[in-house]
Amino acid sequence: MSKIIPLVLAAILCTLNHAQSTTLTTLTTSLESLNFNNSKKKDEGIRYRVGLDHQRDNHLFQMLYGRTNTTTFQPPLSDDLHVNKVYLKYRHQWDEKQSFHISYATIDDNLMQETDEGNIYGAGYGYGHFNLTQYFSGYKHFDAYQTDIKYTFIKKYNSVLTKATVMGKYIHLANKNTNNFSKNAENDYFTAGLKMHVKYKKFHLGAGAFLGKRIFAVMDDGFRVQHHAMEFNKTYMFGIGSRFGKADLKLRYIYQEAIEVPIQNENVTLSNIILQFGYCF
């Protein structure tokens, strides 16, 4: 794990501890199951994540740690897969319409040496319901450049609040032919996505889809990184949740179709079930 992580975490925690104005802190934990079908490398796995959001006036500090343990097929792999990821993000609201955010993520992977110790940087600008973000993923022998554009439509019908977000992701791979891990990938990818969210009193419902191929993608506004050489072409999502006072409980399901690029293994599917709990202080 990069030596910069403890220093950045300490700086953020110091800022949180010395906050003098009105603040809102949210702690989230999640448990996620992963089920692979037709994969030549992975069988099933489990992921644990814990995150902390701290809002202070126009400043939002976010950090998240995730641990994934995946059972693999041996051979071809030599061991089960264990991955640690740390995500950090800061967002500043300049005024009622404009905002700016920066993010950082790092990867600790015991098997995939090409992307182990990878560093992912992001910077973005928002104006109203429009957002533009640029990511740079630096790996040992190749790099990925990703540009995200999204726009959110918001409507309220009496006590029902609806949000619809349309987005596009463009990914360019640099130096991909220098290694067997990424050489079978394409140079450029584009995927389009749509997410819907409906809130009624304490209940909320969400659904979404991504269509179009992507690889080594940054997802979930910088809080997920797909760092294995899997080319995803279809993603479908569905979620439900409810608030209980200061607590929030969510259940999500994600279905994805992919190709394991280094060995050109097609028709791989991945199903995720995620249970998330959040609490506001």
Side-chain angles (χ1 to χ4, degrees):
M1 191 73 68
S2 173
K3 294 181 180 180
I4 194 174
I5 296 301
L7 297 176
V8 176
L9 289 174
I12 292 179
L13 288 173
C14 181
T15 302
L16 302 186
N17 290 335
H18 288 83
Q20 299 296 322
S21 54
T22 302
T23 62
L24 176 64
T25 302
T26 304
L27 176 67
T28 60
T29 60
S30 66
L31 178 64
E32 179 175 350
S33 67
L34 299 86
N35 194 317
F36 295 86
N37 286 310
N38 301 320
S39 172
K40 301 293 185 182
K41 298 180 178 181
K42 304 174 186 177
D43 185 13
E44 58 184 9
I46 190 166
R47 178 177 294 140
Y48 312 89
R49 284 158 60 103
V50 57
L52 182 67
D53 293 1
H54 184 82
Q55 178 82 49
R56 178 164 61 91
D57 293 334
N58 296 330
H59 307 276
L60 175 61
F61 302 89
Q62 297 174 282
M63 49 188 167
L64 187 145
Y65 166 77
R67 166 78 174 184
T68 306
N69 301 316
T70 305
T71 303
T72 64
F73 298 111
Q74 305 168 27
L77 299 183
S78 60
D79 200 353
D80 286 336
L81 179 64
H82 305 291
V83 180
N84 298 289
K85 293 180 181 177
V86 174
Y87 304 86
L88 303 171
K89 189 173 183 178
Y90 168 74
R91 180 176 179 271
H92 178 72
Q93 190 73 36
W94 277 327
D95 52 37
E96 291 183 357
K97 289 189 174 182
Q98 297 186 90
S99 64
F100 170 77
H101 60 268
I102 56 174
S103 63
Y104 172 75
T106 188
I107 301 165
D108 174 26
D109 190 310
N110 69 317
L111 292 181
M112 305 301 170
Q113 298 304 310
E114 285 292 343
T115 49
D116 180 38
E117 298 184 353
N119 297 297
I120 298 89
Y121 305 90
Y125 170 75
Y127 184 86
H129 300 311
F130 170 81
N131 192 276
L132 173 67
T133 304
Q134 179 65 45
Y135 295 103
F136 168 75
S137 302
Y139 299 114
K140 285 185 174 67
H141 298 108
F142 71 98
D143 301 317
Y145 297 84
Q146 177 175 323
T147 303
D148 283 10
I149 299 176
K150 69 177 182 178
Y151 188 88
T152 301
F153 300 88
I154 301 176
K155 273 287 187 180
K156 189 172 184 180
Y157 305 93
N158 296 323
S159 57
V160 178
L161 178 66
T162 64
K163 293 183 180 180
T165 302
V166 292
M167 65 196 79
K169 292 177 177 287
Y170 168 72
I171 301 171
H172 172 72
L173 301 184
N175 303 315
K176 76 173 187 69
N177 294 324
T178 61
N179 61 94
N180 292 327
F181 190 72
S182 60
K183 72 176 184 180
N184 290 332
E186 299 177 10
N187 290 311
D188 301 281
Y189 291 86
F190 179 79
T191 183
L194 172 65
K195 290 185 178 181
M196 302 287 295
H197 186 265
V198 178
K199 182 180 179 182
Y200 174 70
K201 295 183 179 180
K202 65 178 182 179
F203 302 100
H204 45 94
L205 177 71
F210 283 97
L211 299 176
K213 296 188 293 185
R214 68 181 189 271
I215 195 169
F216 305 117
V218 182
M219 308 294 289
D220 284 359
D221 294 325
F223 288 100
R224 285 185 186 269
V225 177
Q226 297 170 330
H227 71 288
H228 288 179
M230 296 182 69
E231 183 183 271
F232 294 92
N233 51 46
K234 293 180 182 177
T235 300
Y236 303 102
M237 303 165 285
F238 178 79
I240 57 175
S242 179
R243 292 196 64 85
F244 305 92
K246 294 184 178 182
D248 185 74
L249 187 64
K250 299 177 182 178
L251 180 65
R252 298 173 61 197
Y253 173 76
I254 303 174
Y255 172 84
Q256 302 182 92
E257 297 180 0
I259 299 173
E260 291 174 326
V261 170
I263 57 176
Q264 290 293 282
N265 179 41
E266 301 182 359
N267 301 317
V268 179
T269 64
L270 170 59
S271 299
N272 301 48
I273 299 176
I274 307 168
L275 181 63
Q276 178 177 305
F277 175 79
Y279 189 83
C280 297
F281 298 91

